[in-house]
Each structure stands twice: as structure tokens, then as C-alpha cells.
Amino acid sequence: MVRRLRGRPFGHLPRTDQRRWAHAYLLALLTTEGKKSVRRLAAAVSDSPTASQSLHQFLNASPWDWNPVRREIARRAEASGPARAWILAPAVLPKRGGHSVGVHRRFCARAGRTVSCQLAMGMFLPVGDAPAPPAASTASVAAAADCGDSAAVSVDWRLFLPPQWAGDEELLRRNRIPAAEANNPRPMWVHALDLVEAQAARTCSAPAPVVADLSEYSDSVRLIEALARQGRDFVIAVPSATALATPATPGMPGDSGARPRLLQTAPTPVRIPGSHHTYRAFAEPGQNSARPNRIWITNMAHRRMGQLVGLARLHQLPAATLRALETDFGLHDFEGRSFPGWHHHMTLSSAAHAYRALTAEQDEQTLSRVRFVS
């Protein structure tokens, strides 16, 4: 089992020391309880007084490509069969101070207040058995509300850089932000589209429907339009205030017309003002208010209501993954400031979580006895 951890995920790293410290960091994330500081992680796998420095160097300064590791995580997640959905989810990572890459202040709905944080968009693949129900019966809708034994593993990440970062040359230099990122700050919907395109490029399976709850982002309809132009299936939640109209509204596109009545029992044909595409929209079952908190929009006319609800419910899976990454795998504990270091840490945390989620038999005693020297 320990040999498996040494192998394929880090086999692309060109140097022996990089592969050794990648393995050490992964093992430390799996065995260290509490805060995952570099010092504590190093102490968990090495008795050397220089181990902490070596681990910090590997994470923040060593020039290794994180994309092959993410491809391997995705490959292992799809090993038992194609993913039922490609799930997108934002992640708010609280930070103290203003020096970490991408840190800014924004309102966090989960915390109920404005926080200093990093904002990321993640791609998650569901694993486990929870097929979508075939019909829109009451029983099927109730079944769709439960994701069963499913879990989700994070396979890719993008970091949002607020506009104020693009104009600060010192911040860009100090945090080693690539020119492609610095010269073209991207909104979250563009990061989401980039994650979908990256997953499409690396998967060996047929494309899966894109599922996301983007009801807190007013520009989420731009992702819907981009996915529609690419011919990708999707079920995406948008803010309840999103302008929608029925396809029969005179003057469409461009005239919002009368707002259609959305149902919980059947999708309603809708258009987004300015768009030539016809979509279907529905309110989430169980939302009894006159205006639900979110509206789900899909282009999958061939799917029944129960199937659409089942897909929409998969948006709940990343929340549990993010909690596990935070409490067990150090998601919020990254101490570096650089753009590459952030991606290295997110990749290794995701790899540790994926190992725990996808490995049937885990020998924790063997893991805890492994020691390294710097």
C-alpha cells in the first residue's frame, strides 16, 4: 500500500527528492491530527531537524507541475466507471492578513459576515452508487433528495484573483503569479468554464452533465450560455432574481417579457433575455416560498424531472468534501503566499482526501510508522 502511494501520482516528478517529499507530504496529511502546519507535517514523517525546511521548499519553491497529479486523481475517481456528473463548487478559504495570494475581503454566506479570504472554484467527481430516478413521481423526487452513499473527490482547482491584484506589480511579483493570470483577471464563471474544458480534455469517458449551484453569482448565466454554445449538458442553479422569459414572449430575444411560472413537478421552457437558446427551468422541490432561493436551469430536454432533480441534488456533495478537506487534510492551513505553492497544497490535500475516499483497505498503522530523512 505504501508503495502505491510512491508510484503513479508523483511518477512524473523529474527529481528523486521531489518524489520523496511529495510522498512525505501526502503521508503526513493522512496521519497528522489537528492543524496541518508544515512544521507539524514534517515532524510526523521525519526526525531530521531540516525536514520542515525541505518540506516548505518542496511545497512553495520547487518548480513541479501539479496538473499530472490532478489527472491521476481524476483517473482513479473514474476507475470504477464514468462520473455521473462534473460538479463545480466555489470554496471560501479564510485567511489572516493580506499577503497570501488572491486574498481579499468579501461577504461569506456561510459565516454570515464579511471575511478576509481566498476564493477558489473546484471540480468534483462523485463516487459511489446513487443512480438518478427514472421518473418524476413523488417517490422519485423524494429519492432524488438523498445522494445515498455517494461522495465526491476534488480533482482540479482555480484561484480567483480580485481585480485590485492585477494592478499591483509588487503583489504579482512577490506571489509569483504567472503573467497569463495577472494580465487577464477572470471572473468565477470563466474559471468554472476552464475547469469543465480541462476535465473534458483529460477524461477517457463520455462527457458528463455539468452540475453547479451558482445562485450567489449574478453572472452565472454567462456560464450557461458558454456551455450551451459548446454543446455540453448542464443543470445549474442561478439567483432567484435572474431575468427569465417564456419562449413565446413577443420580441424575444432581448425583451424579458412576462416572468414564467416555475414548477416543482415539471420543467418550464424559458429563455434568458438576449439569448437564442431555449432552456428548461424548475424550482427545487421543498422550496415553498413564492420565490425560491435558487432556480435550476438545464438544456437537457431528454431528461425527466426526477432525473434532473437527482442531478441537481449532487451539488450537495462538495460541501461534505470541503468539510473533510478542511478538518482532516489541511485545506485552510497553507502557510505560503505564492501562486504555485497554493496550487501545490490544494493538489496534495485533494490527493490525500482521494486516497482516503477511494482506498477500500487502509493500513493506518503502516502509514503512521513510515519515516523519512531530509
Side-chain angles (χ1 to χ4, degrees):
M1 182 277 302
V2 174
R3 283 192 296 272
R4 289 202 301 270
L5 290 179
R6 288 184 184 273
R8 191 161 181 170
F10 308 115
H12 73 285
L13 297 178
R15 302 202 312 259
T16 301
D17 64 308
Q18 289 176 322
R19 295 191 293 272
R20 178 158 50 88
W21 285 114
H23 181 208
Y25 198 89
L26 182 60
L27 283 172
L29 288 172
L30 288 165
T31 57
T32 304
E33 296 183 357
K35 184 176 176 62
K36 308 296 191 293
S37 66
V38 169
R39 187 178 299 276
R40 297 192 75 228
L41 294 176
V45 294
S46 176
D47 298 320
S48 170
T50 62
S52 177
Q53 180 180 350
S54 297
L55 205 58
H56 186 275
Q57 171 78 12
F58 165 75
L59 191 65
N60 287 287
S62 184
W64 56 274
D65 185 359
W66 51 83
N67 287 303
V69 182
R70 296 179 181 182
R71 283 196 296 270
E72 179 61 15
I73 297 172
R75 186 194 69 81
R76 294 194 180 192
E78 294 181 312
S80 60
R84 285 172 287 130
W86 296 347
I87 310 172
L88 297 164
V92 176
L93 312 178
K95 287 291 176 182
R96 295 179 179 178
H99 299 292
S100 297
V101 60
V103 72
H104 62 289
R105 292 187 64 78
R106 68 184 298 113
F107 179 78
C108 175
R110 179 181 174 186
R113 58 186 175 85
T114 299
V115 299
S116 180
C117 65
Q118 295 166 322
L119 180 63
M121 183 68 76
M123 169 66 74
F124 300 78
L125 300 184
V127 293
D129 298 324
S137 65
T138 302
S140 71
V141 171
D146 182 7
C147 292
D149 295 329
S150 293
V153 296
S154 53
V155 300
D156 205 356
W157 295 96
R158 297 295 183 272
L159 178 64
F160 172 74
L161 292 177
Q164 60 265 31
W165 276 68
D168 193 322
E169 294 294 336
E170 176 60 21
L171 276 178
L172 297 175
R173 182 195 62 78
R174 190 171 61 209
N175 291 276
R176 297 167 56 206
I177 297 174
E181 297 282 340
N183 297 335
N184 185 29
R186 286 172 278 186
M188 288 289 275
W189 76 266
V190 175
H191 284 307
L193 183 64
D194 188 38
L195 286 168
V196 171
E197 293 172 345
Q199 177 61 21
R202 67 173 156 252
T203 187
C204 295
S205 304
V210 178
V211 174
D213 178 5
L214 300 181
S215 56
E216 295 184 13
Y217 297 88
S218 59
D219 58 357
S220 52
V221 293
R222 299 188 66 178
L223 175 63
I224 286 174
E225 287 287 280
L227 293 173
R229 286 193 297 269
Q230 293 184 1
R232 302 192 188 281
D233 291 343
F234 58 82
V235 181
I236 293 178
V238 300
S240 60
T242 299
L244 298 174
T246 61
T249 300
M252 284 292 292
D255 177 12
S256 59
R259 186 177 180 85
R261 181 171 178 264
L262 302 184
L263 305 175
Q264 297 182 2
T265 55
T268 301
V270 298
R271 278 190 178 179
I272 298 170
S275 170
H276 292 278
H277 296 102
T278 298
Y279 304 111
R280 299 201 298 167
F282 59 94
E284 188 171 342
Q287 294 180 342
N288 297 319
S289 60
R291 173 169 286 188
N293 294 330
R294 62 176 72 92
I295 296 170
W296 290 95
I297 297 180
T298 181
N299 61 345
M300 292 187 286
H302 58 288
R303 295 290 185 103
R304 297 179 179 179
M305 183 64 177
Q307 294 174 317
L308 294 174
V309 172
L311 285 170
R313 292 291 189 181
L314 292 177
H315 87 273
Q316 301 170 351
L317 294 179
T321 301
L322 289 170
R323 285 194 297 272
L325 285 167
E326 175 186 348
T327 58
D328 298 333
F329 303 102
L331 185 70
H332 295 179
D333 296 337
F334 175 58
E335 298 169 332
R337 298 177 179 178
S338 73
F339 182 88
W342 183 88
H343 275 282
H344 290 162
H345 174 74
M346 298 296 284
T347 301
L348 291 163
S349 293
S350 295
H353 173 265
Y355 168 81
R356 185 67 54 81
L358 299 173
T359 303
E361 298 180 3
Q362 300 164 17
D363 187 349
E364 300 295 338
Q365 290 185 345
T366 300
L367 282 175
S368 63
R369 288 197 302 266
V370 175
R371 308 295 289 176
F372 294 82
V373 295
S374 63

mmCIF file with all atom_site columns, all heavy atoms in Angstrom, residues 149-167:
data_model
loop_
_atom_site.group_PDB
_atom_site.id
_atom_site.type_symbol
_atom_site.label_atom_id
_atom_site.label_alt_id
_atom_site.label_comp_id
_atom_site.label_asym_id
_atom_site.label_entity_id
_atom_site.label_seq_id
_atom_site.pdbx_PDB_ins_code
_atom_site.Cartn_x
_atom_site.Cartn_y
_atom_site.Cartn_z
_atom_site.occupancy
_atom_site.B_iso_or_equiv
_atom_site.pdbx_formal_charge
_atom_site.auth_seq_id
_atom_site.auth_comp_id
_atom_site.auth_asym_id
_atom_site.auth_atom_id
_atom_site.pdbx_PDB_model_num
ATOM 1   N N   . ASP A 1 149 ? -25.094 6.793  -0.812  1.00 0.00 ? 149 ASP A N   1
ATOM 2   C CA  . ASP A 1 149 ? -23.744 6.566  -0.301  1.00 0.00 ? 149 ASP A CA  1
ATOM 3   C C   . ASP A 1 149 ? -22.695 7.306  -1.112  1.00 0.00 ? 149 ASP A C   1
ATOM 4   O O   . ASP A 1 149 ? -21.510 7.012  -1.012  1.00 0.00 ? 149 ASP A O   1
ATOM 5   C CB  . ASP A 1 149 ? -23.445 5.059  -0.324  1.00 0.00 ? 149 ASP A CB  1
ATOM 6   C CG  . ASP A 1 149 ? -24.337 4.284  0.631   1.00 0.00 ? 149 ASP A CG  1
ATOM 7   O OD1 . ASP A 1 149 ? -24.715 4.864  1.665   1.00 0.00 ? 149 ASP A OD1 1
ATOM 8   O OD2 . ASP A 1 149 ? -24.671 3.133  0.328   1.00 0.00 ? 149 ASP A OD2 1
ATOM 9   N N   . SER A 1 150 ? -23.118 8.252  -1.922  1.00 0.00 ? 150 SER A N   1
ATOM 10  C CA  . SER A 1 150 ? -22.175 8.963  -2.775  1.00 0.00 ? 150 SER A CA  1
ATOM 11  C C   . SER A 1 150 ? -21.266 9.875  -1.958  1.00 0.00 ? 150 SER A C   1
ATOM 12  O O   . SER A 1 150 ? -21.638 10.377 -0.900  1.00 0.00 ? 150 SER A O   1
ATOM 13  C CB  . SER A 1 150 ? -22.922 9.801  -3.814  1.00 0.00 ? 150 SER A CB  1
ATOM 14  O OG  . SER A 1 150 ? -23.599 8.980  -4.732  1.00 0.00 ? 150 SER A OG  1
ATOM 15  N N   . ALA A 1 151 ? -20.086 10.065 -2.496  1.00 0.00 ? 151 ALA A N   1
ATOM 16  C CA  . ALA A 1 151 ? -19.159 11.075 -2.002  1.00 0.00 ? 151 ALA A CA  1
ATOM 17  C C   . ALA A 1 151 ? -18.613 11.770 -3.242  1.00 0.00 ? 151 ALA A C   1
ATOM 18  O O   . ALA A 1 151 ? -18.999 11.461 -4.367  1.00 0.00 ? 151 ALA A O   1
ATOM 19  C CB  . ALA A 1 151 ? -18.048 10.430 -1.176  1.00 0.00 ? 151 ALA A CB  1
ATOM 20  N N   . ALA A 1 152 ? -17.747 12.731 -3.047  1.00 0.00 ? 152 ALA A N   1
ATOM 21  C CA  . ALA A 1 152 ? -17.137 13.414 -4.184  1.00 0.00 ? 152 ALA A CA  1
ATOM 22  C C   . ALA A 1 152 ? -15.677 13.681 -3.867  1.00 0.00 ? 152 ALA A C   1
ATOM 23  O O   . ALA A 1 152 ? -15.334 13.982 -2.723  1.00 0.00 ? 152 ALA A O   1
ATOM 24  C CB  . ALA A 1 152 ? -17.866 14.727 -4.495  1.00 0.00 ? 152 ALA A CB  1
ATOM 25  N N   . VAL A 1 153 ? -14.834 13.562 -4.877  1.00 0.00 ? 153 VAL A N   1
ATOM 26  C CA  . VAL A 1 153 ? -13.417 13.886 -4.709  1.00 0.00 ? 153 VAL A CA  1
ATOM 27  C C   . VAL A 1 153 ? -13.107 15.110 -5.560  1.00 0.00 ? 153 VAL A C   1
ATOM 28  O O   . VAL A 1 153 ? -13.643 15.288 -6.659  1.00 0.00 ? 153 VAL A O   1
ATOM 29  C CB  . VAL A 1 153 ? -12.498 12.710 -5.100  1.00 0.00 ? 153 VAL A CB  1
ATOM 30  C CG1 . VAL A 1 153 ? -12.718 11.536 -4.169  1.00 0.00 ? 153 VAL A CG1 1
ATOM 31  C CG2 . VAL A 1 153 ? -12.720 12.291 -6.541  1.00 0.00 ? 153 VAL A CG2 1
ATOM 32  N N   . SER A 1 154 ? -12.265 15.979 -5.040  1.00 0.00 ? 154 SER A N   1
ATOM 33  C CA  . SER A 1 154 ? -11.853 17.177 -5.774  1.00 0.00 ? 154 SER A CA  1
ATOM 34  C C   . SER A 1 154 ? -10.697 16.822 -6.697  1.00 0.00 ? 154 SER A C   1
ATOM 35  O O   . SER A 1 154 ? -9.708  16.237 -6.268  1.00 0.00 ? 154 SER A O   1
ATOM 36  C CB  . SER A 1 154 ? -11.440 18.283 -4.797  1.00 0.00 ? 154 SER A CB  1
ATOM 37  O OG  . SER A 1 154 ? -10.462 17.814 -3.879  1.00 0.00 ? 154 SER A OG  1
ATOM 38  N N   . VAL A 1 155 ? -10.821 17.181 -7.965  1.00 0.00 ? 155 VAL A N   1
ATOM 39  C CA  . VAL A 1 155 ? -9.819  16.786 -8.952  1.00 0.00 ? 155 VAL A CA  1
ATOM 40  C C   . VAL A 1 155 ? -9.120  17.970 -9.609  1.00 0.00 ? 155 VAL A C   1
ATOM 41  O O   . VAL A 1 155 ? -8.112  17.778 -10.311 1.00 0.00 ? 155 VAL A O   1
ATOM 42  C CB  . VAL A 1 155 ? -10.440 15.881 -10.041 1.00 0.00 ? 155 VAL A CB  1
ATOM 43  C CG1 . VAL A 1 155 ? -11.012 14.621 -9.433  1.00 0.00 ? 155 VAL A CG1 1
ATOM 44  C CG2 . VAL A 1 155 ? -11.505 16.629 -10.836 1.00 0.00 ? 155 VAL A CG2 1
ATOM 45  N N   . ASP A 1 156 ? -9.623  19.192 -9.392  1.00 0.00 ? 156 ASP A N   1
ATOM 46  C CA  . ASP A 1 156 ? -8.989  20.339 -10.042 1.00 0.00 ? 156 ASP A CA  1
ATOM 47  C C   . ASP A 1 156 ? -9.445  21.613 -9.343  1.00 0.00 ? 156 ASP A C   1
ATOM 48  O O   . ASP A 1 156 ? -10.524 21.659 -8.741  1.00 0.00 ? 156 ASP A O   1
ATOM 49  C CB  . ASP A 1 156 ? -9.368  20.391 -11.524 1.00 0.00 ? 156 ASP A CB  1
ATOM 50  C CG  . ASP A 1 156 ? -8.333  21.120 -12.380 1.00 0.00 ? 156 ASP A CG  1
ATOM 51  O OD1 . ASP A 1 156 ? -7.360  21.647 -11.808 1.00 0.00 ? 156 ASP A OD1 1
ATOM 52  O OD2 . ASP A 1 156 ? -8.511  21.160 -13.617 1.00 0.00 ? 156 ASP A OD2 1
ATOM 53  N N   . TRP A 1 157 ? -8.607  22.666 -9.438  1.00 0.00 ? 157 TRP A N   1
ATOM 54  C CA  . TRP A 1 157 ? -8.879  23.918 -8.748  1.00 0.00 ? 157 TRP A CA  1
ATOM 55  C C   . TRP A 1 157 ? -8.460  25.105 -9.589  1.00 0.00 ? 157 TRP A C   1
ATOM 56  O O   . TRP A 1 157 ? -7.506  25.021 -10.372 1.00 0.00 ? 157 TRP A O   1
ATOM 57  C CB  . TRP A 1 157 ? -8.112  23.986 -7.420  1.00 0.00 ? 157 TRP A CB  1
ATOM 58  C CG  . TRP A 1 157 ? -8.529  22.971 -6.407  1.00 0.00 ? 157 TRP A CG  1
ATOM 59  C CD1 . TRP A 1 157 ? -7.935  21.754 -6.168  1.00 0.00 ? 157 TRP A CD1 1
ATOM 60  C CD2 . TRP A 1 157 ? -9.624  23.064 -5.496  1.00 0.00 ? 157 TRP A CD2 1
ATOM 61  N NE1 . TRP A 1 157 ? -8.596  21.102 -5.161  1.00 0.00 ? 157 TRP A NE1 1
ATOM 62  C CE2 . TRP A 1 157 ? -9.637  21.877 -4.727  1.00 0.00 ? 157 TRP A CE2 1
ATOM 63  C CE3 . TRP A 1 157 ? -10.582 24.047 -5.241  1.00 0.00 ? 157 TRP A CE3 1
ATOM 64  C CZ2 . TRP A 1 157 ? -10.584 21.646 -3.734  1.00 0.00 ? 157 TRP A CZ2 1
ATOM 65  C CZ3 . TRP A 1 157 ? -11.521 23.817 -4.256  1.00 0.00 ? 157 TRP A CZ3 1
ATOM 66  C CH2 . TRP A 1 157 ? -11.516 22.620 -3.509  1.00 0.00 ? 157 TRP A CH2 1
ATOM 67  N N   . ARG A 1 158 ? -9.170  26.221 -9.399  1.00 0.00 ? 158 ARG A N   1
ATOM 68  C CA  . ARG A 1 158 ? -8.769  27.509 -9.936  1.00 0.00 ? 158 ARG A CA  1
ATOM 69  C C   . ARG A 1 158 ? -8.877  28.542 -8.822  1.00 0.00 ? 158 ARG A C   1
ATOM 70  O O   . ARG A 1 158 ? -9.822  28.506 -8.024  1.00 0.00 ? 158 ARG A O   1
ATOM 71  C CB  . ARG A 1 158 ? -9.638  27.936 -11.119 1.00 0.00 ? 158 ARG A CB  1
ATOM 72  C CG  . ARG A 1 158 ? -9.549  27.026 -12.337 1.00 0.00 ? 158 ARG A CG  1
ATOM 73  C CD  . ARG A 1 158 ? -8.180  27.035 -12.978 1.00 0.00 ? 158 ARG A CD  1
ATOM 74  N NE  . ARG A 1 158 ? -8.135  26.203 -14.177 1.00 0.00 ? 158 ARG A NE  1
ATOM 75  C CZ  . ARG A 1 158 ? -7.855  24.906 -14.185 1.00 0.00 ? 158 ARG A CZ  1
ATOM 76  N NH1 . ARG A 1 158 ? -7.600  24.284 -13.043 1.00 0.00 ? 158 ARG A NH1 1
ATOM 77  N NH2 . ARG A 1 158 ? -7.832  24.227 -15.309 1.00 0.00 ? 158 ARG A NH2 1
ATOM 78  N N   . LEU A 1 159 ? -7.932  29.479 -8.782  1.00 0.00 ? 159 LEU A N   1
ATOM 79  C CA  . LEU A 1 159 ? -7.912  30.526 -7.763  1.00 0.00 ? 159 LEU A CA  1
ATOM 80  C C   . LEU A 1 159 ? -8.369  31.839 -8.368  1.00 0.00 ? 159 LEU A C   1
ATOM 81  O O   . LEU A 1 159 ? -7.811  32.292 -9.379  1.00 0.00 ? 159 LEU A O   1
ATOM 82  C CB  . LEU A 1 159 ? -6.502  30.680 -7.186  1.00 0.00 ? 159 LEU A CB  1
ATOM 83  C CG  . LEU A 1 159 ? -6.313  31.781 -6.138  1.00 0.00 ? 159 LEU A CG  1
ATOM 84  C CD1 . LEU A 1 159 ? -7.133  31.500 -4.887  1.00 0.00 ? 159 LEU A CD1 1
ATOM 85  C CD2 . LEU A 1 159 ? -4.835  31.926 -5.783  1.00 0.00 ? 159 LEU A CD2 1
ATOM 86  N N   . PHE A 1 160 ? -9.352  32.454 -7.748  1.00 0.00 ? 160 PHE A N   1
ATOM 87  C CA  . PHE A 1 160 ? -9.844  33.754 -8.191  1.00 0.00 ? 160 PHE A CA  1
ATOM 88  C C   . PHE A 1 160 ? -8.895  34.853 -7.732  1.00 0.00 ? 160 PHE A C   1
ATOM 89  O O   . PHE A 1 160 ? -8.515  34.917 -6.560  1.00 0.00 ? 160 PHE A O   1
ATOM 90  C CB  . PHE A 1 160 ? -11.242 34.001 -7.604  1.00 0.00 ? 160 PHE A CB  1
ATOM 91  C CG  . PHE A 1 160 ? -11.771 35.388 -7.828  1.00 0.00 ? 160 PHE A CG  1
ATOM 92  C CD1 . PHE A 1 160 ? -12.219 35.777 -9.084  1.00 0.00 ? 160 PHE A CD1 1
ATOM 93  C CD2 . PHE A 1 160 ? -11.828 36.304 -6.792  1.00 0.00 ? 160 PHE A CD2 1
ATOM 94  C CE1 . PHE A 1 160 ? -12.713 37.056 -9.303  1.00 0.00 ? 160 PHE A CE1 1
ATOM 95  C CE2 . PHE A 1 160 ? -12.324 37.581 -6.985  1.00 0.00 ? 160 PHE A CE2 1
ATOM 96  C CZ  . PHE A 1 160 ? -12.769 37.959 -8.251  1.00 0.00 ? 160 PHE A CZ  1
ATOM 97  N N   . LEU A 1 161 ? -8.491  35.719 -8.667  1.00 0.00 ? 161 LEU A N   1
ATOM 98  C CA  . LEU A 1 161 ? -7.672  36.878 -8.345  1.00 0.00 ? 161 LEU A CA  1
ATOM 99  C C   . LEU A 1 161 ? -8.535  38.124 -8.493  1.00 0.00 ? 161 LEU A C   1
ATOM 100 O O   . LEU A 1 161 ? -9.000  38.429 -9.598  1.00 0.00 ? 161 LEU A O   1
ATOM 101 C CB  . LEU A 1 161 ? -6.456  36.968 -9.271  1.00 0.00 ? 161 LEU A CB  1
ATOM 102 C CG  . LEU A 1 161 ? -5.394  35.881 -9.105  1.00 0.00 ? 161 LEU A CG  1
ATOM 103 C CD1 . LEU A 1 161 ? -4.294  36.071 -10.141 1.00 0.00 ? 161 LEU A CD1 1
ATOM 104 C CD2 . LEU A 1 161 ? -4.815  35.892 -7.700  1.00 0.00 ? 161 LEU A CD2 1
ATOM 105 N N   . PRO A 1 162 ? -8.793  38.843 -7.400  1.00 0.00 ? 162 PRO A N   1
ATOM 106 C CA  . PRO A 1 162 ? -9.626  40.043 -7.495  1.00 0.00 ? 162 PRO A CA  1
ATOM 107 C C   . PRO A 1 162 ? -8.971  41.100 -8.367  1.00 0.00 ? 162 PRO A C   1
ATOM 108 O O   . PRO A 1 162 ? -7.739  41.127 -8.507  1.00 0.00 ? 162 PRO A O   1
ATOM 109 C CB  . PRO A 1 162 ? -9.745  40.506 -6.032  1.00 0.00 ? 162 PRO A CB  1
ATOM 110 C CG  . PRO A 1 162 ? -8.581  39.881 -5.331  1.00 0.00 ? 162 PRO A CG  1
ATOM 111 C CD  . PRO A 1 162 ? -8.292  38.597 -6.043  1.00 0.00 ? 162 PRO A CD  1
ATOM 112 N N   . PRO A 1 163 ? -9.767  41.969 -8.982  1.00 0.00 ? 163 PRO A N   1
ATOM 113 C CA  . PRO A 1 163 ? -9.214  42.946 -9.931  1.00 0.00 ? 163 PRO A CA  1
ATOM 114 C C   . PRO A 1 163 ? -8.104  43.818 -9.353  1.00 0.00 ? 163 PRO A C   1
ATOM 115 O O   . PRO A 1 163 ? -7.174  44.199 -10.078 1.00 0.00 ? 163 PRO A O   1
ATOM 116 C CB  . PRO A 1 163 ? -10.447 43.794 -10.299 1.00 0.00 ? 163 PRO A CB  1
ATOM 117 C CG  . PRO A 1 163 ? -11.605 42.888 -10.082 1.00 0.00 ? 163 PRO A CG  1
ATOM 118 C CD  . PRO A 1 163 ? -11.233 42.022 -8.908  1.00 0.00 ? 163 PRO A CD  1
ATOM 119 N N   . GLN A 1 164 ? -8.183  44.125 -8.053  1.00 0.00 ? 164 GLN A N   1
ATOM 120 C CA  . GLN A 1 164 ? -7.163  45.014 -7.476  1.00 0.00 ? 164 GLN A CA  1
ATOM 121 C C   . GLN A 1 164 ? -5.772  44.379 -7.495  1.00 0.00 ? 164 GLN A C   1
ATOM 122 O O   . GLN A 1 164 ? -4.767  45.099 -7.426  1.00 0.00 ? 164 GLN A O   1
ATOM 123 C CB  . GLN A 1 164 ? -7.539  45.415 -6.040  1.00 0.00 ? 164 GLN A CB  1
ATOM 124 C CG  . GLN A 1 164 ? -7.682  44.267 -5.059  1.00 0.00 ? 164 GLN A CG  1
ATOM 125 C CD  . GLN A 1 164 ? -9.110  43.788 -4.924  1.00 0.00 ? 164 GLN A CD  1
ATOM 126 O OE1 . GLN A 1 164 ? -9.873  43.877 -5.891  1.00 0.00 ? 164 GLN A OE1 1
ATOM 127 N NE2 . GLN A 1 164 ? -9.481  43.309 -3.744  1.00 0.00 ? 164 GLN A NE2 1
ATOM 128 N N   . TRP A 1 165 ? -5.704  43.062 -7.596  1.00 0.00 ? 165 TRP A N   1
ATOM 129 C CA  . TRP A 1 165 ? -4.405  42.409 -7.654  1.00 0.00 ? 165 TRP A CA  1
ATOM 130 C C   . TRP A 1 165 ? -3.717  42.649 -8.997  1.00 0.00 ? 165 TRP A C   1
ATOM 131 O O   . TRP A 1 165 ? -2.490  42.698 -9.078  1.00 0.00 ? 165 TRP A O   1
ATOM 132 C CB  . TRP A 1 165 ? -4.552  40.912 -7.390  1.00 0.00 ? 165 TRP A CB  1
ATOM 133 C CG  . TRP A 1 165 ? -4.581  40.569 -5.941  1.00 0.00 ? 165 TRP A CG  1
ATOM 134 C CD1 . TRP A 1 165 ? -5.560  40.867 -5.041  1.00 0.00 ? 165 TRP A CD1 1
ATOM 135 C CD2 . TRP A 1 165 ? -3.568  39.881 -5.208  1.00 0.00 ? 165 TRP A CD2 1
ATOM 136 N NE1 . TRP A 1 165 ? -5.232  40.403 -3.796  1.00 0.00 ? 165 TRP A NE1 1
ATOM 137 C CE2 . TRP A 1 165 ? -4.009  39.782 -3.875  1.00 0.00 ? 165 TRP A CE2 1
ATOM 138 C CE3 . TRP A 1 165 ? -2.341  39.327 -5.553  1.00 0.00 ? 165 TRP A CE3 1
ATOM 139 C CZ2 . TRP A 1 165 ? -3.245  39.171 -2.879  1.00 0.00 ? 165 TRP A CZ2 1
ATOM 140 C CZ3 . TRP A 1 165 ? -1.585  38.701 -4.571  1.00 0.00 ? 165 TRP A CZ3 1
ATOM 141 C CH2 . TRP A 1 165 ? -2.044  38.632 -3.248  1.00 0.00 ? 165 TRP A CH2 1
ATOM 142 N N   . ALA A 1 166 ? -4.502  42.758 -10.063 1.00 0.00 ? 166 ALA A N   1
ATOM 143 C CA  . ALA A 1 166 ? -3.909  42.873 -11.400 1.00 0.00 ? 166 ALA A CA  1
ATOM 144 C C   . ALA A 1 166 ? -3.087  44.145 -11.553 1.00 0.00 ? 166 ALA A C   1
ATOM 145 O O   . ALA A 1 166 ? -2.136  44.179 -12.337 1.00 0.00 ? 166 ALA A O   1
ATOM 146 C CB  . ALA A 1 166 ? -5.015  42.835 -12.457 1.00 0.00 ? 166 ALA A CB  1
ATOM 147 N N   . GLY A 1 167 ? -3.420  45.187 -10.800 1.00 0.00 ? 167 GLY A N   1
ATOM 148 C CA  . GLY A 1 167 ? -2.704  46.441 -10.949 1.00 0.00 ? 167 GLY A CA  1
ATOM 149 C C   . GLY A 1 167 ? -1.589  46.660 -9.950  1.00 0.00 ? 167 GLY A C   1
ATOM 150 O O   . GLY A 1 167 ? -0.978  47.730 -9.932  1.00 0.00 ? 167 GLY A O   1
#
